[in-house]
Amino acid sequence: MPHAKVPVVQPPSLNRGDAFAITAPSSALRNDDSLHRGIAVFESWGLEVQPHQLDARHWGYLAGTDQQRRADLDQRQSPPLLACARGGWGAARLLEHPWPWSPGWLLGFSDITSLLCSRLAQGVGGGVHGPLVTTLADEPDWSQQRLQELLFDRTAPDLHGETWVGGKAQGPLITVNLTVASHLLGSSHLPDLRGMILVIEDVGEAPYRLDRMLTHWRLTGTLQGLAGIGLGRFSGCDDANLSANAEQTFSLEQVLKERTLDLGIPVISGLPVGHGQGGNAALPMGVPARLDADRGTLSLERPNQR
């Protein structure tokens, strides 16, 4: 059953001198250097990091017990920005029990998709699908600047992609890792996507597995209710070694086109979003957006346009 739409409340912009906390809701940290370099980027923006010991915490392959990782996310006791350290697996485990999301900024992608979607389903804005703390320092300058503008000014330049199906669409924006979001279908943690612009990305999934997931979305009617689709980066998803029989397969592009082009909505591909090289453009969850597939652009509605 589709969930009723909940009005999305966005948090205020950040200011220099604001504090931020690092949270590790997924896999255990492995590279202290990348974490500290990411912190340095935030500090260069005038933000102050709260003390943490996440790089020394683990429970099996997770960054602490479920209780420890849930406590990290309690924004009632936290600064206005929670920046996720890394992805991997484990964030969805934290959603098994009711979770009262509080207003504030939450930044991350990949496995963090489950948390971003859960917040949005409850009408809590401030989720940003974007670089993790451990990936931020290696982002190109334009990507770091884009994230800074989103957090401090709630604006960002247009993204450009390739037109697959022309037309124009307007609606709230949601950006997800396809694999992670597919495992939220049927739960209360995936918001009602009717009328929304969906941007999807993934990594290391064979074309037949992407086909299987997108078919699941079609069988639930979820894709058919969208206003438009943007396709981000599908890094390592066209590797012949991922297919059991490389001589009898569809390419990544064939699968994505066959599963989206007949929906009767605008579709653009090649957005600089997700895993892999070239930059992971930060996109806010639930904000009004415009997909102009005739021009191949995805735009955020500026705050003063409302």
Side-chain angles (χ1 to χ4, degrees):
M1 294 291 292
H3 314 305
K5 285 193 179 295
V6 179
V8 177
V9 179
Q10 299 292 340
S13 302
L14 295 181
N15 297 293
R16 292 183 66 87
D18 282 343
F20 73 100
I22 301 172
T23 178
S26 302
S27 293
L29 300 179
R30 297 178 301 190
N31 185 342
D32 293 351
D33 178 65
S34 63
L35 181 73
H36 297 312
R37 289 191 297 117
I39 291 172
V41 175
F42 286 117
E43 291 178 330
S44 73
W45 300 344
L47 299 177
E48 300 179 2
V49 64
Q50 288 192 339
H52 69 90
Q53 294 182 325
L54 299 177
D55 43 356
R57 196 180 75 188
H58 69 88
W59 180 54
Y61 43 74
L62 301 172
T65 65
D66 290 350
Q67 292 76 17
Q68 287 175 315
R69 290 178 293 116
R70 279 173 61 90
D72 290 345
L73 294 170
D74 189 354
Q75 286 191 292
R76 294 170 296 182
Q77 308 296 327
S78 299
L81 169 64
L82 291 180
C84 295
R86 66 161 297 192
W89 158 247
R93 291 172 57 107
L94 308 182
L95 303 178
E96 292 185 20
H97 304 286
W99 185 250
W101 291 108
S102 301
W105 295 96
L106 177 68
L107 170 65
F109 83 115
S110 193
D111 190 56
I112 311 305
T113 287
S114 57
L115 304 182
L116 296 173
C117 287
S118 180
R119 286 166 54 98
L120 190 57
Q122 291 190 28
V124 179
V128 177
H129 183 283
L132 300 156
V133 180
T134 53
T135 65
L136 179 58
D138 293 324
E139 287 289 306
D141 290 344
W142 69 263
S143 176
Q144 294 183 12
Q145 182 178 350
R146 177 186 180 87
L147 176 59
Q148 183 182 12
E149 291 174 358
L150 273 177
L151 295 175
F152 285 81
D153 302 319
R154 304 208 318 195
T155 62
D158 296 352
L159 294 182
H160 297 270
E162 176 187 348
T163 300
W164 277 8
V165 179
K168 300 177 181 179
Q170 289 183 286
L173 179 66
I174 181 170
T175 307
V176 303
N177 174 270
L178 179 62
T179 297
V180 176
S182 293
H183 290 87
L184 298 180
L185 286 169
S187 78
S188 62
H189 299 289
L190 190 67
D192 180 359
L193 301 188
R194 289 175 297 179
M196 297 187 78
I197 296 172
L198 173 68
V199 177
I200 56 177
E201 64 87 30
D202 220 320
V203 59
E205 295 289 349
Y208 80 90
R209 293 200 293 263
L210 297 172
D211 185 340
R212 180 166 57 200
M213 287 185 280
L214 291 171
T215 298
H216 185 187
W217 287 63
R218 291 170 67 101
L219 290 173
T220 62
T222 306
L223 292 187
Q224 293 87 334
L226 296 170
I229 294 178
L231 300 171
R233 195 176 294 110
F234 287 78
S235 181
C237 293
D238 214 7
D239 186 344
N241 294 326
L242 295 174
S243 300
N245 187 341
E247 295 180 356
Q248 297 178 359
T249 187
F250 291 111
S251 69
L252 169 65
E253 182 172 314
Q254 285 175 314
V255 167
L256 295 178
K257 284 185 173 180
E258 199 277 332
R259 296 282 78 187
T260 62
L261 297 193
D262 64 345
L263 296 172
I265 58 176
V267 180
I268 65 175
S269 69
L271 293 173
V273 174
H275 296 77
Q277 302 297 315
N280 180 16
L283 289 171
M285 303 282 279
V287 303
R290 297 184 300 278
L291 184 70
D292 186 341
D294 295 330
R295 297 175 54 226
T297 59
L298 175 65
S299 309
L300 304 180
E301 183 176 286
R302 294 344 186 223
N304 61 6
Q305 289 179 290
R306 286 181 247 172

